[in-house]
Amino acid sequence: MSDRDVNTPEISRSSRLTALAGADRPLHALAGRLLAVAERGLPRMLLPEGGEFAFTRAARRDGTRTLERRGTSLRYAAITALGVRYLPADRQRAVLGGRTAEEFTGLLVERLPGVRGLGDAALVAWAAAETGHPKLSDALDRVAALDRPGTPQYTVEAAWVLSALAAARATGTVDVEDRLAAARDRLLDARIGDGPLFPHATGPGLTPWYRAHIGCFADQTYPLQALARAHASGGGDPEALAAADACAARICALQGDGGQWWWHYDARRGTVVEGYPVYSVHQHAMAPTALLDLAEAGGTDFGEPVRRGLRWMTDVPELAAAGSTEPMIRDELGVTWRKVYRGDPKKAVRAARGLGTRVRPGLRLRPLDTVFRPTAVDRECRPYEFGWMLFAWLGGLPGDTPEALDTPEDTAR
């Protein structure tokens, strides 16, 4: 299916897209195509009851290309609400089973008393703040109950707590200053030595000793985004902004020649441990949302790495090298395939390199690249991937008003 066959929404008034793509019409068209795929695909991931999203939509295990919904995920539903809230109300309802993002978030808030995961609660609270839900205070109270002071947390979840508090601060309806300061300090203190990157956890005990030095791509983007948003939400925080900028500069310096955002890093040395898998969500959503937030908060403009990463979606060097013509974007199915990966049994390359770099920093074990080439495609797609995509390209910093984008019908008139 060509770009011309896709009924893309009008995106010309998205300032982020305009600023990023400029006169690059193919890149602007690619972004519009991806946003259309997101709006087409998300309703197919909504479960029949209309109040939950599936964990994933994936090809059936019988070898056919028929897609099926599997599992449920509260955190993916919250991320979806965060992104969908930037659509006009009628298109929010089309995606969310007849509900607006605020109404859908209300369903998630009602489930909070039974939530045990800090990350899930933080994302629901973040969505409550962004959508202006009246029970924001209740959502934040649940986060506080799950976030015991002095207890190490996974870095991603700690970052979501800070982003939720920054969004709540921007509403001006709740006092979160003490909690925000503690969440901000926890992230800054999680770094190892003078390194700019973040490990997988904010303290010892959550990861095995031989992997304590490793942080994944999400462990970089969510903290840098949270620190940038915290800086922008209040009177300014130069230390937080500088930390976000340093992290962004390092992952951009390490970006692959084909625009790949690599997967695992040595947080001590700021080097790549293992590059694969390359995830579509990193390319079209997570890197853009973090780096665009950083630039708008007053940090460095990393627009060119964002552009290179986005182009990977249609120019995948790993697949080209293998002679594959399979596209990562499947317009007619409403999905972007999840990742390109090595196909190594039990993630052997990641494990070997993680242990190897613990013993000898920088050890690459290069023969593994020859034995396990990254030519496999993971044919699944998860709703959070599209939630962050909408958030990245149509969103903005805490307190920003969603842009009134034209619908296709408006454009036709």
Side-chain angles (χ1 to χ4, degrees), residues 160-201:
W160 288 339
V161 170
L162 180 56
S163 287
L165 292 168
R169 172 202 261 173
T171 68
T173 62
V174 288
D175 180 4
V176 297
E177 293 308 313
D178 290 345
R179 285 182 282 178
L180 190 148
R184 172 257 197 207
D185 291 347
R186 176 171 58 189
L187 275 185
L188 292 178
D189 292 344
R191 294 169 298 174
I192 301 173
D194 296 327
L197 301 186
F198 294 85
H200 194 54

Side-chain angles (χ1 to χ4, degrees), residues 239-329:
E239 184 183 359
L241 185 64
D245 219 296
C247 178
R250 192 64 191 140
I251 62 172
C252 288
L254 295 171
Q255 188 180 26
D257 293 340
Q260 302 97 330
W261 295 109
W262 300 126
W263 182 213
H264 276 130
Y265 303 85
D266 187 330
R268 302 166 303 180
R269 296 169 55 87
T271 55
V272 174
V273 171
E274 163 58 1
Y276 293 94
V278 174
Y279 287 87
S280 291
V281 65
H282 297 169
Q283 305 296 134
H284 65 54
M286 282 170 55
T289 193
L291 296 176
L292 294 172
D293 277 359
L294 174 63
E296 290 180 5
T300 301
D301 182 354
F302 292 104
E304 184 51 38
V306 172
R307 287 186 282 271
R308 286 199 303 269
L310 189 60
R311 292 188 185 103
W312 182 90
M313 292 299 302
T314 53
D315 185 11
V316 184
E318 293 83 0
L319 299 183
S324 172
T325 59
E326 180 167 13
M328 295 299 290
I329 306 171

Side-chain angles (χ1 to χ4, degrees), residues 40-375:
R40 183 178 300 113
L42 280 171
R44 304 180 192 184
M45 299 177 184
L46 189 68
L47 296 179
E49 318 69 86
E52 290 186 297
F53 272 91
F55 175 77
T56 191
R57 186 165 171 249
R60 292 175 57 176
R61 297 185 178 93
D62 59 9
T64 68
R65 295 297 177 86
T66 303
L67 299 184
E68 61 182 4
R69 293 185 294 252
R70 298 177 191 161
T72 62
S73 175
L74 177 69
R75 69 174 51 186
Y76 288 178
I79 294 169
T80 300
L82 279 166
V84 169
R85 79 108 173 173
Y86 286 100
L87 296 173
D90 60 330
R91 286 157 64 189
Q92 292 180 31
R93 295 184 186 281
V95 169
L96 298 174
R99 297 180 176 90
T100 64
E102 181 185 350
E103 292 165 348
F104 186 81
T105 298
L107 299 180
L108 307 182
V109 171
E110 289 174 6
R111 295 171 58 185
L112 278 177
V115 170
R116 296 291 179 265
L118 176 61
D120 292 18
L123 286 165
V124 173
W126 188 358
E130 294 278 357
T131 61
H133 196 275
K135 291 190 176 181
L136 171 59
S137 264
D138 293 345
L140 292 172
D141 287 346
R142 187 58 186 156
V143 174
L146 294 170
D147 194 8
R148 297 191 300 274
T151 302
Q153 302 292 350
Y154 289 108
T155 299
V156 164
E157 298 193 339
W160 288 339
V161 170
L162 180 56
S163 287
L165 292 168
R169 172 202 261 173
T171 68
T173 62
V174 288
D175 180 4
V176 297
E177 293 308 313
D178 290 345
R179 285 182 282 178
L180 190 148
R184 172 257 197 207
D185 291 347
R186 176 171 58 189
L187 275 185
L188 292 178
D189 292 344
R191 294 169 298 174
I192 301 173
D194 296 327
L197 301 186
F198 294 85
H200 194 54
T202 63
L206 292 177
T207 56
W209 67 267
Y210 56 85
R211 294 192 69 245
H213 63 298
I214 292 176
C216 67
F217 186 72
D219 295 324
Q220 315 314 318
T221 56
Y222 290 126
L224 82 85
Q225 178 185 35
L227 291 165
R229 294 174 77 85
H231 166 77
S233 68
D237 187 338
E239 184 183 359
L241 185 64
D245 219 296
C247 178
R250 192 64 191 140
I251 62 172
C252 288
L254 295 171
Q255 188 180 26
D257 293 340
Q260 302 97 330
W261 295 109
W262 300 126
W263 182 213
H264 276 130
Y265 303 85
D266 187 330
R268 302 166 303 180
R269 296 169 55 87
T271 55
V272 174
V273 171
E274 163 58 1
Y276 293 94
V278 174
Y279 287 87
S280 291
V281 65
H282 297 169
Q283 305 296 134
H284 65 54
M286 282 170 55
T289 193
L291 296 176
L292 294 172
D293 277 359
L294 174 63
E296 290 180 5
T300 301
D301 182 354
F302 292 104
E304 184 51 38
V306 172
R307 287 186 282 271
R308 286 199 303 269
L310 189 60
R311 292 188 185 103
W312 182 90
M313 292 299 302
T314 53
D315 185 11
V316 184
E318 293 83 0
L319 299 183
S324 172
T325 59
E326 180 167 13
M328 295 299 290
I329 306 171
R330 296 298 302 268
D331 305 86
E332 74 285 2
L333 297 176
V335 297
T336 55
W337 291 141
R338 180 162 169 74
K339 64 180 182 283
V340 169
Y341 66 108
R342 294 185 186 278
D344 47 324
K346 298 183 178 180
K347 303 175 182 176
V349 175
R350 183 178 76 180
R353 284 183 168 158
L355 181 58
T357 54
R358 182 69 181 183
V359 176
R360 187 193 302 174
L363 183 65
R364 291 294 301 148
L365 302 173
R366 295 191 184 281
L368 294 173
D369 291 327
T370 302
V371 177
F372 300 110
R373 297 185 180 276
T375 59

